Every structure is written in C-alpha cells, then in structure tokens.
Amino acid sequence: MKIVVSGTGYVGLVTAVCLSEVGHTVTCVDVVKEKIDMLNEGKSPIFEPGLEELMQKNKDKLTYTLNGKLAYKDADVIFIGVGTPEKKDGSANLKYVYEVAKEIAENIENNAIIVIKSTVPIGTNKKIEKYIRDNLKHDVKIEIVSNPEFLSQGTAVRDTLHAQRIVLGVNTKHAEEIMKRVYDGFNLPYVITNRESAEMIKYASNDFLALKISYINEIANLCEIVGANVEDVAKGMGMDSRIGNKFLQAGIGYGGSCFPKDTKALNWLANFNDYELKTIKAAIEVNTNQKLKLLKKARKYYDSLEGLNVAVLGLTFKPNTDDLREAPSLENIPILLDDGANIKAYDPVGEKRFKKIYPTEIKYCKTLEETLENADICFIFTEWDFVKNMDISMYEKLMRVPIVLDGRNCYSLESFENTNIVYDSIGRKTINQNKIAKDIAKN
Ligand code: UGA
C-alpha cells in the first residue's frame, strides 16, 4: 500500500512517522523547502520529544519530498495533515486543505482513499470530496475519510501510537476496510461513524477539554476569594470517575494551536447556523480574562510597574514544546513593556521563537540566576521542569523583592511557609503576603 502524507507539521509528520513505525512505507510532502531539507538531513522541523529518534529508526521507510504531483500520482491512501489556522472572524481557514485537494485532484492516476486528518469544520469532508471529484484529471475513484487526531504537543508520538481510539468517519464499507488495514499495526479500538460525526468528535473533544479548564479556572478564582484550595478541590472532584482527574489543573488559561482556535471555530459555526453555543462562548471569555490574571495580581503589590525589574520564567504555551501560539506570555509581555517594566526572561526552548517577535525589547537570560538577580517580581508562565525542580531559596537569595506570581501552580504552598518569599499562585491562598507588604513600603 502506498501511503502519502501531506503536511509535515505536528499532525502530518507525527502521523507519517508512526505509520512507518508499524511497517508502512510513507512519503511525506510539504511545500516549504527548508522543512524538506531538514527532514532529508534526519532533523525534525518541529520540537517534539522522541520524534527524531523514530525518524532515524524508520529512515528506510520514510521519504520526504516537495514534489506532490509525483507522490500523489500512484498513491493508495493520501493523508491531509496541513494547518487550518484561525481567520479574523474566528472561523477555520481551509486555504491549505483546498490547495492540497487541488494538487491531488489534478495528479492522481489511481483509485485512492483521501483521509482528512486536519481539524476541519463539520461538513468539510463532503465539500472536499465534491471539489476533488469536480477537478479530477483522470478517470479514477476517490473516497474521503474523516480521521481526526488527538495528539498533544510534547507527547505526540505516544498519543498516536497508544491513542485511546481511532475515529473513522466513512461513507462506505470499502473505505472502512482500507483504513483498518492502514491502522492494523496499532491494535487500537475504533469508533466508526459518518463523516459529520467524526468531524464533530474532534471539535467536541477539544472544546470539552477547554471548557473543563475554564471551569476549574473559574472555581480557582472563587477559591481565592472564599479561602478554598483549588488543588484539593480538583483532587476531590477528580476522584469521582464520572468527572475524571485530567484537565483540572488550574492556571493562567489554555493556549496552543488547538483549543483557542477550535473553540472559536465551533462557536463561529454555531453562530453561522443561528445557534448560540453558550458554554463554549463562556469558556472562551473565561480564558481571555484568565490569561491576564498574573498582571492583576502584580498590581496588588505595585501601583505602577514602571522601572520595575520583572523576571519571567517560561515563554511557551506549555512545557516540552517551543510553540508560542496563544501563549499567555504573549498576552502579558506587551502590557508589561507598555507599563515600562524591564523584563528578563528564561526559556531555553521558547527563546528562539520569542526573539523573532521581541528581538531587543527584553533580555534573554542563559541561567535562572541571571534572570532572578535583582528582580522586583517574578512571573511564571510555563511549568517547565527547570522551574518545578529549582531550589526555591534562589528567589529569596537573588531577587530584590521576592514576590513570585505562579501562573501554573508549580510548587506546594508548604515549601514557602518558612521563607520570606511572597508566593501568589492560582486558586490557593497567598503565602507571606503581609511580610513583603512591609518591605515594599520600606523601599
Ligand atoms: C490539544 C488536545 O489535548 C489534543 O488532544 C488535540 O489533539 C490537540 O489539542 C489538537 O487538536 O491538535 P495541545 O494543544 O498540544 O493538545 O495541548 P494540551 O496538553 O491539551 O494543552 C493545551 C493548553 O491547556 C495548554 O496551554 C495547557 O497549559 C492548558 N491546560 C491543560 C491547563 O491549563 N490545565 C489543564 O489541566 C490541562
């Protein structure tokens, strides 16, 4: 079976490499020359733990090319895994999916199954099928299958090889059988349904998780007001298997390339169909406010941030990725800069991309020590291991005023109890708040 995967981002490349791991020979197509060059040198264009090793292990089964025309020509199964970014109005931009569909239609000379892995609005599979059939240049039969993915950045390989389900939206028994042959080596349970339901499973899953995060974040905000502890609350809730203990980690909101985009896209689709998705609208609104939660906290300690030395730990939207899309750091740093703060940041993985947006406005540090030295306040935006595992006495030893605003609840409250560090996290009581108020007053 000749398999081609179009798009070498998180979805496409991880899918291709995992398919090769179970024995398939896969051709990866992309339109960006730098990516294909890197791949041909054995390097992954995305930061994803374990991916490069797997590429190396299966290098004889993987080919990377810019030549889609040739790759599609005699393919049996073609996966479309290109991006569907957000448009200004919140809807999904399907430009790249259609570009691939056009190239497929004009070049295939074999009957083929075309699998849409990209997250696409409900109804898209059907439209793409018509579009390809209308534009075919050869007399061939094509079928479109919806096969959404559920991988998370940072754990993408494991999430794919050991997924909890494989969702297949199919129109015919023939397509179902071919897809089961593709996934035979994975040995995972299937959900077989129609294409609209498969498309909806993807959005409904992502939006439910986003809603769960916004829900726990609202509970956390209320916990702070009424003196409850959100970690204990989440633990108590999560032990009920009907609720589950995952995605109840309160913080400064969800970011990344999926939840923000997919909540807005489903909301847009509902509006477009004259339906109001009240829960998802609320999740979006809560998340927008939550991202600025640390700034609100900072203003409790300082009337103005002008001239203050601000230490920032973590820039990426979550650990184990260099992705900055919709990261809380990108919401907060422009405001801190506008307010006249001097920012020093530490994130060895996220720094390179952040520098492209803010080349000179902030100082990028090489060590935690350098970042914290003389700081008047510290913002933690990402729960990297280097933050969670650091010796917290460094805050006290190095900062001018040891106020730590932790947007990801990296530490236990107890660890700050016998220190002079103000530790202000999400949904939990602030430790040592009064001690520092006096120190600041002295300054
Ligand atoms: C998400 C989904 O988890 C995947 O199942 C899905 O396949 C993927 O989107 C996609 O559609 O491609 P991802 O965006 O990589 O994956 O990251 P997550 O680990 O889900 O985290 C998203 C955001 O939620 C992060 O900013 C994270 O910090 C935040 N989060 C997560 C919380 O604030 N609390 C939690 O309890 C969990």
Side-chain angles (χ1 to χ4, degrees):
M1 184 181 307
K2 182 176 173 193
I3 299 182
V4 178
V5 176
S6 177
T8 60
Y10 281 98
V11 174
L13 185 58
V14 175
T15 302
V17 173
C18 290
L19 286 170
S20 74
E21 172 68 5
V22 298
H24 292 292
T25 303
V26 186
T27 305
C28 303
V29 178
D30 206 293
V31 291
V32 182
K33 187 175 179 305
E34 293 76 45
K35 284 193 186 178
I36 295 297
D37 288 347
M38 276 184 87
L39 288 160
N40 278 323
E41 285 164 22
K43 293 191 203 117
S44 164
I46 53 169
F47 177 89
E48 187 57 43
L51 187 60
E52 240 171 50
E53 288 79 350
L54 219 58
M55 279 169 58
Q56 183 60 27
K57 183 177 164 209
N58 295 296
K59 65 176 191 302
D60 297 341
K61 288 177 259 167
L62 289 161
T63 315
Y64 309 101
T65 180
L66 288 165
N67 194 341
K69 286 190 177 88
L70 196 64
Y72 301 140
K73 202 172 150 184
D74 57 348
D76 298 302
V77 178
I78 304 170
F79 282 86
I80 303 182
V82 293
T84 52
E86 186 183 318
K87 282 208 241 173
K88 281 210 166 64
D89 62 0
S91 64
N93 186 346
L94 298 176
K95 181 173 162 240
Y96 305 111
V97 175
Y98 273 95
E99 277 171 15
V100 175
K102 183 167 188 282
E103 200 172 25
I104 293 173
E106 288 173 353
N107 292 288
I108 47 168
E109 295 181 14
N110 253 3
N111 294 344
I113 302 280
I114 296 153
V115 188
I116 303 199
K117 260 217 168 288
S118 308
T119 303
V120 291
I122 295 93
T124 305
N125 275 257
K126 200 172 170 187
K127 287 186 191 152
I128 296 281
E129 186 166 75
K130 180 171 184 323
Y131 177 83
I132 295 184
R133 282 189 181 150
D134 288 350
N135 287 282
L136 282 173
K137 295 273 182 285
H138 292 88
D139 182 20
V140 296
K141 288 199 175 62
I142 60 120
E143 288 184 72
I144 302 278
V145 171
S146 168
N147 171 218
E149 55 74 31
F150 302 95
L151 59 86
S152 295
Q153 292 182 25
T155 52
V157 171
R158 191 186 67 207
D159 293 348
T160 304
L161 287 174
H162 306 287
Q164 296 179 24
R165 74 293 205 194
I166 292 174
V167 173
L168 297 177
V170 290
N171 250 14
T172 65
K173 206 72 199 153
H174 172 251
E176 179 183 333
E177 275 158 18
I178 302 273
M179 290 310 292
K180 284 187 169 167
R181 272 174 53 206
V182 170
Y183 282 117
D184 194 31
F186 285 68
N187 209 9
L188 293 167
Y190 291 103
V191 176
I192 311 285
T193 181
N194 66 21
R195 296 181 301 196
E196 288 73 18
S197 307
E199 292 167 324
M200 182 59 106
I201 288 170
K202 171 68 189 186
Y203 277 103
S205 301
N206 268 8
D207 288 16
F208 181 76
L209 293 172
L211 185 58
K212 203 171 174 190
I213 298 169
S214 277
Y215 178 75
I216 199 67
N217 284 339
E218 282 224 284
I219 295 294
N221 296 343
L222 193 57
C223 281
E224 285 182 26
I225 299 167
V226 299
N229 178 319
V230 75
E231 307 266 286
D232 296 341
V233 173
K235 187 174 171 198
M237 288 168 64
M239 285 168 86
D240 183 332
S241 59
R242 291 171 303 174
I243 297 172
N245 59 9
K246 307 268 173 19
F247 280 70
L248 284 179
Q249 174 78 46
I252 41 167
Y254 56 78
S257 62
C258 306
F259 290 170
K261 159 177 89 77
D262 294 348
T263 43
K264 285 183 219 157
L266 199 62
N267 187 41
W268 183 91
L269 192 77
N271 287 340
F272 185 74
N273 288 290
D274 291 326
Y275 187 78
E276 192 187 2
L277 264 182
K278 291 190 175 134
T279 47
I280 302 307
K281 261 172 78 175
I284 297 169
E285 193 185 324
V286 169
N287 199 55
T288 306
N289 294 333
Q290 198 69 11
K291 282 189 172 171
L292 298 177
K293 180 97 186 166
L294 293 190
L295 268 173
K296 282 197 198 110
K297 285 182 182 283
R299 296 200 166 103
K300 277 193 320 204
Y301 301 100
Y302 295 107
D303 290 337
S304 157
L305 301 176
E306 172 122 42
L308 286 191
N309 294 333
V310 174
V312 167
L313 302 185
L315 295 167
T316 55
F317 84 94
K318 69 172 191 178
N320 297 321
T321 175
D322 61 350
D323 204 327
L324 299 173
R325 282 176 284 179
E326 303 276 343
S329 62
L330 283 175
E331 296 289 325
N332 285 271
I333 285 181
I335 301 175
L336 286 167
L337 287 171
D338 265 1
D339 284 0
N342 309 312
I343 304 176
K344 287 203 275 183
Y346 182 62
D347 187 332
V349 180
E351 174 185 321
K352 196 167 152 211
R353 284 177 185 244
F354 213 84
K355 247 187 197 157
K356 289 197 181 137
I357 311 169
Y358 293 103
T360 53
E361 297 83 343
I362 68 179
K363 181 171 169 30
Y364 298 92
C365 296
K366 293 285 160 247
T367 60
L368 280 167
E369 286 80 358
E370 189 189 353
T371 322
L372 295 174
E373 183 112 57
N374 275 329
D376 297 299
I377 195 158
C378 173
F379 285 68
I380 301 175
F381 291 133
T382 322
E383 68 277 35
W384 280 102
D385 277 347
F386 68 76
V387 181
K388 291 198 290 188
N389 299 335
M390 70 182 258
D391 173 4
I392 59 155
S393 71
M394 283 169 74
Y395 291 117
E396 197 166 351
K397 284 187 199 131
L398 295 164
M399 292 175 72
R400 189 156 65 187
V401 186
I403 302 175
V404 178
L405 306 182
D406 183 356
R408 297 294 180 190
N409 290 358
C410 292
Y411 312 107
S412 73
L413 295 182
E414 295 73 49
S415 49
F416 287 88
E417 257 154 21
N418 296 318
T419 70
N420 287 313
I421 305 163
V422 176
Y423 180 60
D424 198 338
S425 53
I426 306 291
R428 306 186 292 178
K429 77 172 178 199
T430 302
I431 306 292
N432 296 327
Q433 184 157 6
N434 299 334
K435 279 190 193 168
I436 279 290
K438 277 187 231 135
D439 282 355
I440 296 174
K442 265 191 255 158
N443 283 343

